[in-house]
Amino acid sequence: MATLEYDKRRALVTPGRLRHLFGARRVAVVGASGTSSWARNIVRSLNAAGGLKELVFVHPKYPELFGQATVPSLRDLEEPVDLAFLMVGPGRVDEILEDAAAAGIRNAVVLAAGYGETGQDGRARQLALAEHARRLDVTVMGPNTVGFINATAGIAPWAVVTERPPLKGAVGAVFESGSMARAAHEFAQAHGVGASLWASVGNSAVLTSLDVLEYLLDDESTRAIALFLETVGEPDRLLALGRRALEADKPIVAFKAGRTEAGQRSAMAHTGAMATDDAVVDALFRQAGIVRAESLEELVSTVGLFGHYPARPRGRRMGVVTSSGGGCNIIADLAAVNGLDLPEWAPPTVDALAEHLPPFASILNPLDTTGFGHARARPRPTKAEDDLMEIAVQDGGIDFMFTMMTPLPSSRPEDPAFIESRLEILGQIVRDAPVPVYLASNTCLDLADYPRGLLTAAGLHLLPGADLALKSMGHLMRWVDLRESVLADDPPARATPAHGSGPALTGTWAEDEGRDLLAAHGVPVVPAVLVTDRREAARLVTEWGGPVAMKVCSREIAHKSDIGGVVLGVDSPEAAEAAFDRILAAAATRVPEATVRGVLVSPMRGGGLEMLIGVTRDPTLGPVLAVGLGGIWVEVLKDVSLRVLPVSPRAVKEMLLELKAAPLLRGVRGVAPVDLDALTEVIMAVTRAALALGDRLETLEVNPLRVDGSVVEGLDALVVTGEPS
């Protein structure tokens, strides 16, 4: 990733420095022209936001721009501005930054592309830009960014089309794509999701997503945070910031582009950063307590829910009142998909509801108010769903209430008394409710200014359609579970890399060498003896008095069974001698270049479950632990749980229990359950062995790891190391 190392840029991206950047009320636009759409956009945005004190145009050729006089250089300013917005090509950025530093300007936004996204030369140019900014002590946002909106302060150096003032709110958002930042902001504005800060970091030469995330954690006006990531770097820092967010009760919702291989390649081309496996990203988000959205709309809807509804439900039991029978069916289906429960109403609630419904009504959850409910006269300006929801929300068997509202008028009617009074009453019902109440529109239609104003005045927020609403509530409950899980566990300490553990090998280790490494870190392994003579193999069969497994042992043969290098169930001295000869012959024939150290002989084990415990090094996120069923099952079922190392014993147990095969671990059909404490202890020992290899680690795998009650032992080991970085 073409970003300056954190230690080198730390002084430029502290929350204090970013408060100055994002609070810039005096802005200089450098290099704009009267025909530039970028320039027109930024002028509109700055004026619409309302908090700007001074706007200066800097250009050596044009004496006037947008009706005001220019200055030829930043050095010609009478006093420094808070922020320089650079609209120059990449060839002039460095000199403009020098002018900014000389003028006492400490913040710059760089619009120019042509850096890390263009390939190796562009990445080198981007790193040179970052080093230049560090020497000048200038905080740079970008390059390849459209800027930011600080709606709280009314400041918007935002170089995209702006039609209205930004909505103020409690959502902070940081994007690694300018076009997606724009699209998501427009969707948020259309659905009443107000923001504190909306930022596009572009290629992140100096200022990264995590720097803005840290700023938002300290920002008092931010209650929830949206992240749009094309790549994931600094995993340790993300984990630490995620924990801080949980402790501060500031939910983080993330959208990560590049789930597929093609998507990862596209993300790499866009940012010039290294992509990583999507399943590992899922694991990292889970460990950091971050909820992952599947679309831009879902990202905005979910973070909007968190930002507008600070109260959290106690559990997943949802009460529903709606004016549509078809809506009841839709909501019930969506609730099941998103892990939300629909308990029956308590008898007192049924009795209270029955007084307001016809005898033929089915008083179910979800509750249809029926046409009769709409036709009834009522003593106040409300609708049937309002009155019945006010009754149902008192039910002690629900944790939150959801109602799908009938459409609101798009403009102020001739007689607004009913709708305006209704929204005022509904706001009071929601405030008085003993549990959170969530409201949604029927479909994902934009909110016009009039209904948005009514909702805001009443203290209400309308989620955009039933589908996004239920997905958002499902994410809300997943976040509640994640928060409890992560905060219940002490953060594991990052191990100091050890460069000297084990033999100084590059490539695949022989199995006996891998077994020695595991045993040295407390991993129990089935006994094995390396023999170089057929008679020694025969002697071991006699000595152990039972069938043995025999395997070729060579650094050049990682997958022994593929070349006929494994013989199982050897139960006599004669069979051992024959197996010895057959294994060596197979190795010589199939892998003639291999140096064979001998044949490993070990007693056969029966019963129990076979598991896989593996650690591989992700190029971006570092060592990753994989746990699943072993043997052939890992390939057939693909039932694997992942975590980025280090992990705690508690996290390892969670990994085991989230497997689809978890019922096998608990014991089924008379089979004894697995001792999870014993298994967890062995898995922790495997991670210690892997981490002891430091940056030489490529792969360490125990497959199978046999588990029978409290007996846990490795039957095979694969270790692959590379050159230390």
Side-chain angles (χ1 to χ4, degrees):
M1 188 173 181
T3 302
L4 205 61
E5 294 177 5
Y6 181 55
D7 287 344
K8 292 183 178 180
R9 60 187 173 82
R10 185 192 300 263
L12 298 178
V13 296
T14 63
R17 287 289 293 255
L18 297 192
R19 277 192 290 274
H20 188 231
L21 167 66
F22 295 133
R25 295 190 182 277
R26 302 176 68 245
V27 177
V29 177
V30 184
S33 69
T35 59
S36 167
S37 61
W38 297 112
R40 291 195 301 271
N41 290 340
I42 199 168
V43 170
R44 276 199 212 98
S45 298
L46 285 166
N47 290 332
L52 185 71
K53 288 186 177 179
E54 181 183 5
L55 175 59
V56 180
F57 291 99
V58 178
H59 206 290
K61 295 181 180 179
Y62 303 132
E64 180 181 296
L65 282 170
F66 298 98
Q68 66 182 73
T70 67
V71 295
S73 166
L74 289 171
R75 296 174 189 259
D76 297 313
L77 294 172
E78 294 183 2
E79 58 180 319
V81 293
D82 302 320
L83 172 70
F85 198 111
L86 277 58
M87 291 188 173
V88 298
R92 293 195 59 215
V93 168
D94 285 356
E95 66 176 280
I96 303 299
L97 289 180
E98 290 173 5
D99 291 345
I105 300 168
R106 292 289 169 256
N107 301 302
V109 175
V110 177
L111 176 69
Y115 286 90
E117 78 281 3
T118 62
Q120 185 173 349
D121 290 346
R123 286 191 287 273
R125 187 160 48 249
Q126 184 166 308
L127 286 173
L129 166 64
E131 286 286 358
H132 194 51
R134 181 182 68 83
R135 288 192 297 270
L136 296 172
D137 192 31
V138 176
T139 301
V140 169
M141 186 176 193
N144 197 17
T145 177
V146 296
F148 65 88
I149 299 170
N150 183 342
T152 302
I155 301 159
W158 182 246
V160 295
V161 176
T162 300
E163 302 294 343
R164 64 179 69 180
L167 292 177
K168 297 178 184 179
V171 169
V174 54
F175 283 70
E176 291 181 349
S177 164
S179 61
M180 293 299 98
R182 172 188 175 177
H185 185 255
E186 290 175 351
F187 185 82
Q189 295 267 110
H191 294 281
V193 177
S196 55
L197 177 77
W198 206 275
S200 163
V201 295
N203 286 14
S204 301
V206 175
L207 178 64
T208 70
S209 297
L210 295 193
D211 300 328
V212 182
L213 172 59
E214 185 171 6
Y215 163 82
L216 291 171
L217 291 178
D218 286 347
D219 179 46
E220 293 182 357
S221 61
T222 300
R223 283 203 302 255
I225 300 166
L227 293 178
F228 180 100
L229 302 177
E230 292 186 328
T231 59
V232 177
E234 298 183 287
D236 290 350
R237 189 174 177 214
L238 180 62
L239 289 169
L241 292 175
R243 189 177 186 91
R244 271 188 57 193
L246 295 174
E247 292 169 344
D249 193 23
K250 288 191 177 185
I252 301 173
V253 186
F255 177 88
K256 167 63 173 65
R259 273 196 175 276
T260 64
E261 185 177 345
Q264 290 172 16
R265 287 197 302 270
S266 177
M268 291 170 66
H270 187 199
T271 64
M274 186 176 291
T276 193
D277 184 82
D278 191 66
V280 181
V281 173
D282 269 341
L284 182 67
F285 284 168
R286 189 183 306 116
Q287 288 171 260
I290 295 173
V291 167
R292 185 170 188 178
E294 300 295 330
S295 68
L296 273 185
E297 295 85 355
E298 197 173 309
L299 174 70
V300 172
S301 175
T302 303
V303 78
L305 182 150
F306 280 121
H308 285 272
Y309 293 99
R312 313 290 182 223
R314 299 184 302 265
R316 295 174 175 270
R317 301 173 301 173
M318 177 174 68
V320 178
V321 175
T322 181
S323 60
S324 165
C328 289
N329 298 334
I330 292 171
I331 292 168
D333 290 340
L334 290 171
V337 170
N338 291 286
L340 304 173
D341 300 328
L342 292 167
E344 295 182 0
W345 302 115
T349 304
V350 173
D351 292 342
L353 293 171
E355 295 179 11
H356 299 267
L357 289 167
F360 58 80
S362 299
I363 304 179
L364 305 173
N365 183 22
L367 178 68
D368 174 15
T369 58
T370 75
F372 175 85
H374 295 291
R376 284 190 63 172
R378 41 187 48 83
R380 57 183 184 174
T382 55
K383 289 198 169 186
E385 60 261 37
D386 308 332
D387 297 336
L388 293 173
M389 186 264 285
E390 185 177 22
I391 295 169
V393 79
Q394 302 297 323
D395 192 299
I398 64 170
D399 300 308
F400 62 95
M401 172 65 69
F402 174 66
T403 185
M404 199 161 64
M405 294 186 66
T406 50
L408 299 172
S410 59
S411 59
R412 195 169 191 259
E414 290 185 10
D415 182 4
F418 175 83
I419 186 61
E420 292 179 3
S421 297
R422 180 200 172 196
L423 267 293
E424 183 179 344
I425 293 169
L426 186 57
Q428 191 61 51
I429 291 172
V430 171
R431 285 190 292 275
D432 291 343
V435 296
V437 178
Y438 305 121
L439 292 78
S441 54
N442 289 338
T443 58
C444 189
L445 294 174
D446 291 358
L447 270 177
D449 289 341
Y450 177 66
R452 184 188 303 118
L454 290 181
L455 291 162
T456 300
L460 299 173
H461 176 66
L462 197 62
L463 292 164
D467 184 51
L468 286 175
L470 271 294
K471 285 179 179 176
S472 299
M473 285 185 277
H475 285 316
L476 166 62
M477 295 315 307
R478 278 185 282 279
W479 179 85
V480 169
D481 292 343
L482 279 175
R483 183 173 192 240
E484 180 181 353
S485 172
V486 173
L487 293 184
D489 201 3
D490 293 330
R494 175 65 70 174
T496 302
H499 298 284
S501 183
L505 297 174
T506 300
T508 302
W509 295 19
E511 185 183 340
D512 63 324
E513 295 166 326
R515 293 166 64 90
D516 289 344
L517 174 69
L518 292 171
H521 289 86
V523 180
V525 291
V526 66
V529 176
L530 181 64
V531 301
T532 57
D533 183 271
R534 66 203 305 270
R535 289 170 297 182
E536 182 65 11
R539 185 188 66 79
L540 288 171
V541 173
T542 302
E543 180 179 318
W544 281 330
V548 299
M550 298 176 63
K551 297 178 282 185
V552 67
C553 188
S554 170
R555 292 174 183 168
E556 289 78 27
I557 305 175
H559 302 289
K560 299 177 278 290
S561 59
D562 291 351
I563 62 117
V566 178
V567 180
L568 304 177
V570 180
D571 58 2
S572 70
E574 296 77 16
E577 291 182 354
F580 182 92
D581 294 340
R582 190 159 74 245
I583 288 171
L584 294 187
T589 301
R590 301 285 295 276
V591 195
E593 71 278 11
T595 299
V596 176
R597 298 162 63 85
V599 175
L600 275 174
V601 183
S602 60
M604 291 285 292
R605 296 290 198 245
L609 282 174
E610 289 189 349
M611 300 200 68
L612 172 143
I613 313 299
V615 179
T616 57
R617 176 171 292 280
D618 182 272
T620 302
L621 304 182
V624 177
L625 171 65
V627 173
L629 286 187
I632 64 170
W633 298 113
V634 67
E635 298 177 6
V636 174
L637 300 180
K638 302 187 186 303
D639 181 20
V640 176
S641 180
L642 302 174
R643 295 290 188 278
V644 176
L645 291 182
V647 292
S648 67
R650 178 189 177 97
V652 170
K653 282 188 181 178
E654 287 183 352
M655 294 176 72
L656 293 168
L657 294 177
E658 71 191 23
L659 292 171
K660 296 174 186 174
L664 298 176
L665 301 177
R666 297 190 183 98
V668 293
R669 293 184 176 272
V671 177
V674 166
D675 185 335
L676 291 180
D677 291 330
L679 177 55
T680 296
E681 184 177 337
V682 172
I683 295 173
M684 292 298 296
V686 172
T687 68
R688 290 194 296 271
L691 293 174
L693 296 171
D695 55 8
R696 294 190 296 140
L697 170 71
E698 290 186 4
T699 300
L700 188 154
E701 183 179 292
V702 183
N703 181 24
L705 179 79
R706 176 177 168 270
V707 187
D708 190 2
S710 60
V711 177
V712 185
E713 56 185 352
L715 304 185
D716 201 346
L718 172 66
V719 179
V720 183
T721 50
E723 296 286 351
S725 58

